[in-house]
Amino acid sequence: MDMTLQRELARTDPHIPFRAITTHRHHTWAQTYHSRPELYIQPHTTEEIQKIVTLARRCRKRIVVVGSAHSPSELTCTSSWMVNLDYYSEVLNVNPSSKLVTVQAGIRLKELCRVLKDHHGLALPNLGSINEQSIAGALTTGTHGSSMKHGILARSVVGLRIMLSNGSVVSCSAEHSSDLFKAALVSLGAIGIIVEVTIKVVPHFNIAWRQRLVTLDYVVRSWDMLWSGSEFTRVWWFPYMKKCILWEADKTHEALQQRKTSWLRGRIGYHAYHAFLYIAQFFPRILPWIEWFVVEVQQGGQEASAVESGDEGLLLDCLYSQFVNEWAIPLDKGTEALERLSAWLNGDQEASRIPFSAKNVWVHAPIEVRVVNDTGSQTRAFLDNTMVGQPSLLLNATLYRPYHRDPPAHIRYYQAFEYLMKEFGGRPHWAKNFSGVTADDIAEMYPDLPQWKRVREHVDPEGMFLGSWHRRLLFSQDEQHDLTLAEQESATESKAGGGVMWYGEIPGKALSRQHSEESFDLMHGAEAEKSVLLNDL
């Protein structure tokens, strides 16, 4: 540890641990990005988190909070201080009558679902495809499932407690400090450190699901009925065969019933598909054949069904390392989007009306198609990426990275995909890989962005929780001058085993020697006090 940190540590309470290591090597789940934080810190208590924030402010460091790092972008990369809340993960209170549950922010969704089900007979109302994220991470990036009856996961949250850049903890909800609440629900890690979450839950439920193979034409013709028929619905689209796996599920009181499996759906099929995708790196023209293998051989082209606990049946195996580029567009634009993207992928550029050549572009399957509905009655986050007041189609252009190798045509594919999504007034999922988007684009997409920025400036005036990802996508150059603690990218390099090594720096000036730490703390304490009164702004 450097001399400044040692000096400042000596000024803090020695009975409050500072659990930091200097040897941590960070990477995203997909190993698309890697970084080496100066310190990796795992606090166990609120007092420890407060100590981290105080030391970071005095030592002029940025803080990034990381859970499972499932986002494949550089959002979680840092060369400064990285905080992980895996040991700050208690269930604090369960109220069976109100169905309100309060938890520490580091709890993983998997563990929360287990405790709710096994000890209280309760459940989260909806889940995304995975449950490895911390609850704070899932909220702050806009995680969602696929249902016309549910919005994003943050819609179920009724209260938050947040530690601000001056170390104070502020509570907020739709009724109290509502602007702070709406900014923090989808905060992108840039408002402060969420320490507690109060969320509305439901009685535990099982789901009966069934899936079948249908044509793309069937999906287009039955579009409205498709999404309203069951509580949970999702589609996996195979663009070269022009077929889809339609998955539908409803709550049930039936007894649990396992899905019938075959050896091709197990480990052998898993490794075979992975190997085929790797071969396609060198011979991409075989990808339509691989798609046929998945649909007709591995899946058997047959119907499947099961009855499972909701916290298990709603999940999906993400398989391998991948790029994920997902956008929300109006649901009523969905059929045109599918038809035009299908035309482009199958070489009909004229019908697609996409001004990028599809020549020698071959993509992986499936493309995931899901839906979310803006229910309108709950508080909406400023940066909720779904459509306002109407259902949204979530189109997910996944590209696998077999053995962590980038697919050869992913840049042009994503250029074409994003062009189409922008034409329909789409918004990218915050946690995914989107590349052709600028700060000007984001400002146009989000009319509430100025309000989010206003809140962020009051609670973190120097940008302690901001990184280069935030600077690039959310702020103009003129807005970045006062962000003296915000980290920016200094260099990147390709790793031999795949992915990108990311390096950052904090360009702001250090605290001058004539400016005492005590007066600095008082100054920024006064700034953060304003955040308690955000309703009056």
Side-chain angles (χ1 to χ4, degrees):
M1 297 183 184
D2 63 35
M3 295 298 295
T4 302
L5 177 55
Q6 291 183 41
R7 184 188 75 227
E8 295 302 331
L9 266 173
R11 299 176 58 232
T12 62
D13 187 344
H15 297 99
I16 300 175
F18 184 65
R19 307 173 197 268
I21 62 172
T22 60
T23 57
H24 184 74
R25 296 295 180 263
H26 169 74
H27 63 75
T28 60
W29 171 84
Q31 297 192 37
T32 44
Y33 283 92
H34 304 248
S35 66
R36 297 172 183 168
E38 178 184 335
L39 293 181
Y40 181 74
I41 316 166
Q42 291 188 295
H44 293 200
T45 66
T46 306
E47 291 75 19
E48 290 180 43
I49 300 173
Q50 190 171 46
K51 184 170 185 173
I52 293 166
V53 171
T54 299
L55 289 169
R57 185 176 64 251
R58 292 177 177 177
C59 296
R60 318 306 288 145
K61 301 295 182 180
R62 179 216 175 183
I63 292 175
V64 58
V65 182
V66 175
S68 65
H70 218 275
S71 168
S73 76
E74 77 274 25
L75 177 60
T76 57
C77 288
T78 187
S79 295
S80 192
W81 289 9
M82 180 173 288
V83 175
N84 172 268
L85 300 180
D86 280 354
Y87 295 99
Y88 189 79
S89 55
E90 297 293 322
V91 176
L92 300 176
N93 184 61
V94 178
N95 188 322
S97 59
S98 67
K99 301 293 188 298
L100 294 180
V101 175
T102 301
V103 298
Q104 291 178 328
I107 193 169
R108 299 295 180 98
L109 294 180
K110 182 177 183 179
E111 176 63 12
L112 174 58
C113 289
R114 185 194 67 79
V115 172
L116 290 177
K117 178 174 68 174
D118 293 350
H119 299 287
H120 305 285
L122 298 170
L124 296 177
N126 196 12
L127 284 170
S129 296
I130 62 170
N131 61 1
E132 297 298 330
Q133 313 105 305
S134 67
I135 190 167
L139 297 177
T140 56
T141 53
T143 295
H144 62 87
S146 186
S147 173
M148 284 288 284
K149 296 185 178 181
H150 300 278
I152 63 174
L153 183 60
R155 288 299 189 93
S156 299
V157 175
V158 299
L160 296 170
R161 294 187 75 224
I162 308 167
M163 186 168 294
L164 307 179
S165 62
N166 75 330
S168 64
V169 179
V170 178
S171 297
C172 58
S173 65
E175 294 76 29
H176 174 68
S177 294
S178 61
D179 278 0
L180 177 62
F181 185 59
K182 287 185 282 189
L185 279 175
V186 180
S187 72
L188 309 176
I191 300 296
I193 300 178
I194 295 176
V195 292
E196 290 179 16
V197 178
T198 300
I199 191 166
K200 186 81 171 179
V201 297
V202 297
H204 174 262
F205 58 91
N206 294 335
I207 58 169
W209 64 260
R210 57 261 170 218
Q211 69 179 40
R212 54 198 170 101
L213 191 64
V214 298
T215 65
L216 177 60
D217 182 62
Y218 172 85
V219 169
V220 170
R221 284 188 289 106
S222 57
W223 189 251
D224 293 334
M225 180 181 66
L226 189 80
W227 301 110
S228 59
S230 295
E231 181 168 354
F232 306 100
T233 306
R234 56 192 177 205
V235 171
W236 293 285
W237 169 33
F238 297 87
Y240 298 121
M241 296 186 69
K242 298 186 179 180
K243 292 185 177 180
C244 303
I245 292 178
L246 172 59
W247 184 95
E248 300 167 294
D250 288 289
K251 294 174 183 175
T252 183
H253 295 292
E254 298 177 38
L256 298 179
Q257 177 184 337
Q258 290 187 341
R259 172 181 177 166
K260 295 180 181 179
T261 59
S262 67
W263 60 274
L264 271 173
R265 289 199 186 107
R267 292 186 61 82
I268 293 177
Y270 174 92
H271 290 294
Y273 187 28
H274 206 179
F276 289 152
L277 290 172
Y278 183 73
I279 294 170
Q281 296 287 94
F282 308 98
F283 307 100
R285 290 179 179 272
I286 71 171
L287 280 169
W289 178 86
I290 295 174
E291 184 177 292
W292 172 86
F293 168 80
V294 173
V295 174
E296 298 296 343
V297 179
Q298 190 178 46
Q299 295 295 329
Q302 298 177 358
E303 294 187 3
S305 62
V307 178
E308 296 180 303
S309 176
D311 60 313
E312 298 174 3
L314 292 173
L315 304 179
L316 174 68
D317 186 349
C318 291
L319 296 179
Y320 326 110
S321 172
Q322 57 196 248
F323 289 130
V324 190
N325 197 343
E326 180 180 79
W327 287 59
I329 63 173
L331 183 62
D332 59 12
K333 302 292 185 182
T335 55
E336 183 183 350
L338 293 182
E339 290 174 326
R340 289 176 60 184
L341 185 58
S342 178
W344 190 82
L345 291 172
N346 286 282
D348 189 348
Q349 188 169 348
E350 182 178 354
S352 73
R353 305 194 301 283
I354 297 174
F356 295 91
S357 172
K359 185 177 180 180
N360 296 324
V361 175
W362 303 91
V363 304
H364 300 163
I367 296 170
E368 189 175 38
V369 186
R370 292 182 288 175
V371 68
V372 167
N373 196 9
D374 179 25
T375 55
S377 59
Q378 299 119 319
T379 300
R380 181 182 171 90
F382 288 140
L383 298 186
D384 185 334
N385 80 306
T386 60
M387 300 295 105
V388 179
Q390 61 178 311
S392 303
L393 182 74
L394 288 305
L395 199 56
N396 186 346
T398 296
L399 285 176
Y400 292 115
R401 302 176 63 249
Y403 306 108
H404 306 296
R405 305 290 181 175
D406 293 351
H410 71 280
I411 294 176
R412 186 145 38 101
Y413 176 37
Y414 282 171
Q415 285 175 331
F417 178 72
E418 292 182 4
Y419 173 88
L420 186 62
M421 296 298 98
K422 288 180 181 178
E423 185 175 317
F424 291 120
R427 295 170 169 178
H429 190 304
W430 292 114
K432 311 301 185 183
N433 298 106
F434 51 96
S435 55
V437 179
T438 66
D440 288 340
D441 292 329
I442 295 294
E444 185 176 345
M445 293 171 183
Y446 289 90
D448 289 337
L449 181 62
Q451 294 172 271
W452 183 88
K453 287 181 179 180
R454 178 172 56 91
V455 173
R456 196 220 60 77
E457 183 180 2
H458 277 80
V459 298
D460 181 21
E462 289 195 299
M464 178 187 288
F465 302 104
L466 295 177
S468 66
W469 185 96
H470 303 94
R471 296 174 77 127
R472 173 168 55 87
L473 291 169
L474 301 175
F475 298 92
S476 67
Q477 288 297 321
D478 292 340
E479 294 173 314
Q480 298 187 32
H481 296 310
D482 295 330
L483 303 177
T484 53
L485 288 186
E487 192 173 14
Q488 70 180 23
E489 180 183 298
S490 60
T492 60
E493 60 185 27
S494 298
K495 287 181 63 67
V500 173
M501 187 71 199
W502 187 95
Y503 300 93
E505 62 181 2
I506 300 173
K509 293 181 180 179
L511 187 65
S512 74
R513 294 182 179 179
Q514 289 76 33
H515 195 157
S516 72
E517 286 88 349
E518 287 81 1
S519 61
F520 179 79
D521 284 347
L522 287 172
M523 176 182 70
H524 285 270
E527 285 291 324
E529 279 298 314
K530 298 177 183 177
S531 68
V532 183
L533 304 174
L534 279 172
N535 276 332
D536 296 331
L537 293 178

